[in-house]
């Protein structure tokens, strides 16, 4: 059985939640920039910004919900407990 080390353990739920929130916030920040730019640009750039404002919420949710553990290993759990009993020698033999 492979020896476990503290660095091979998966991320804690708090760390995982924080990383997902950061990814989501960055993507939604880009969406806000696209919305603001829609007031100042014309032509094809307006369509690019509008597409970004429409598509980025879906992309943000998908990226935030991907479970990508940077350590890449799973925790090995020990197997079941086995109980061994000794055979009792029979009396007289």
């Amino acid at each position: 059985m492979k020896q476990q080390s503290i660095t091979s353990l998966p991320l804690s739920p708090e760390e995982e939640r924080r990383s997902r929130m950061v990814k989501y916030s960055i993507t939604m920040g880009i969406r806000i920039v696209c919305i603001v730019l829609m007031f100042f640009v014309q032509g094809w750039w307006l369509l690019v910004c509008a597409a970004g404002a429409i598509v980025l919420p879906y992309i943000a949710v998908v990226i935030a919900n991907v479970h990508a553990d940077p350590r890449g290993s799973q925790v090995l759990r020990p197997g079941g407990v086995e109980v061994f009993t000794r055979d009792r020698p029979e009396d007289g033999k």
Side-chain angles (χ1 to χ4, degrees):
M1 176 186 251
K2 180 181 173 186
Q3 180 69 25
Q4 285 294 318
S5 69
I6 194 69
T7 57
S8 67
L9 294 175
L11 294 173
S12 70
E14 292 83 18
E15 290 174 346
E16 183 182 359
R17 187 178 313 112
R18 183 181 183 284
S19 70
R20 289 189 295 152
M21 287 176 58
V22 167
K23 291 176 189 176
Y24 182 81
S25 298
I26 290 171
T27 310
M28 293 310 285
I30 295 170
R31 179 184 185 223
I32 296 296
V33 170
C34 287
I35 291 172
V36 170
L37 284 176
M38 285 174 38
F39 293 112
F40 299 106
V41 296
Q42 296 176 359
W44 287 102
W45 286 108
L46 180 64
L47 292 175
V48 170
C49 291
I54 293 169
V55 175
L56 278 175
Y58 173 76
I59 292 172
V61 170
V62 170
I63 290 174
N65 287 328
V66 171
H67 291 271
D69 189 9
R71 295 180 184 119
S73 64
Q74 295 180 343
V75 176
L76 298 175
R77 299 200 183 346
V81 176
E82 295 182 22
V83 179
F84 293 100
T85 59
R86 293 184 186 178
D87 293 331
R88 293 186 182 175
E90 294 182 21
D91 293 335
K93 289 190 178 180

